[in-house]
Amino acid sequence: MTVVRYESWALVNRLQKDIDRLFGAPLSTAADSGAWLPPVDIHEDANQFLLHVDLPGVDPKAVEITSEQGVLMIRGQRAESHQAAAEGYRRVERIKGEFQRRFSLPDSANTQNITAKTVNGVLEISIPKLPQLQPQRITVEAA
């Protein structure tokens, strides 16, 4: 499966990082913008494509997975905990807010039978493959 990472704001984010590096301090952070990208591992075997998405602290009900026109989209939101809003915190590094990841699916993906489950904060998406048509061998007879 060829994985194409879709980032609609990739150029703007790169420019932002370059400006941050130039001035030595971030003008804004991902926590301020409410956008983050959870890491994803993709594995392919003979029968399926398997995606593992790290979503610690994300309620499975807050995750939406769609497949449309050969694109798998995973989107959701990590809500802010009530503890983070309480006084006494000196540093908050865990990003809250919305996320979205998109992946192009190959023609061999069976999008009708995609399944998803969460185990210990890891979303596992299984995309079965369509059965491959075997080439038909045609014998040539001598006339």
Side-chain angles (χ1 to χ4, degrees):
M1 174 167 107
T2 303
V3 178
V4 178
R5 185 174 180 176
Y6 176 80
E7 292 184 54
S8 58
W9 291 93
L11 186 58
V12 174
N13 290 337
R14 185 173 162 196
L15 177 64
Q16 179 72 47
K17 287 178 185 177
D18 289 343
I19 290 172
D20 290 348
R21 197 173 317 118
L22 178 66
F23 290 107
L27 299 176
S28 67
T29 63
D32 294 336
S33 67
W36 60 288
L37 293 174
V40 177
D41 291 340
I42 300 174
H43 174 73
E44 177 182 2
D45 61 31
N47 301 319
Q48 68 180 349
F49 302 102
L50 197 60
L51 284 76
H52 289 101
V53 186
D54 285 345
L55 297 176
V58 176
D59 183 3
K61 295 176 185 170
V63 177
E64 177 185 351
I65 303 169
T66 58
S67 173
E68 184 178 0
Q69 297 179 354
V71 176
L72 179 75
M73 183 183 308
I74 307 165
R75 71 172 65 174
Q77 182 172 359
R78 183 177 347 187
E80 184 170 340
S81 67
H82 298 290
Q83 293 178 346
E87 291 185 31
Y89 276 85
R90 299 190 121 196
R91 183 178 187 122
V92 177
E93 292 184 352
R94 297 182 337 171
I95 298 173
K96 311 291 188 261
E98 297 180 4
F99 65 88
Q100 175 177 310
R101 297 293 306 263
R102 294 172 53 128
F103 301 94
S104 296
L105 297 174
D107 294 335
S108 62
N110 183 352
T111 58
Q112 300 301 315
N113 295 319
I114 296 175
T115 59
K117 65 179 179 178
T118 59
V119 177
N120 297 330
V122 177
L123 174 65
E124 182 178 288
I125 302 172
S126 175
I127 307 168
K129 290 184 177 180
L130 293 170
Q132 294 292 329
L133 296 176
Q134 298 299 323
Q136 182 180 3
R137 184 163 181 94
I138 301 169
T139 57
V140 179
E141 296 180 18

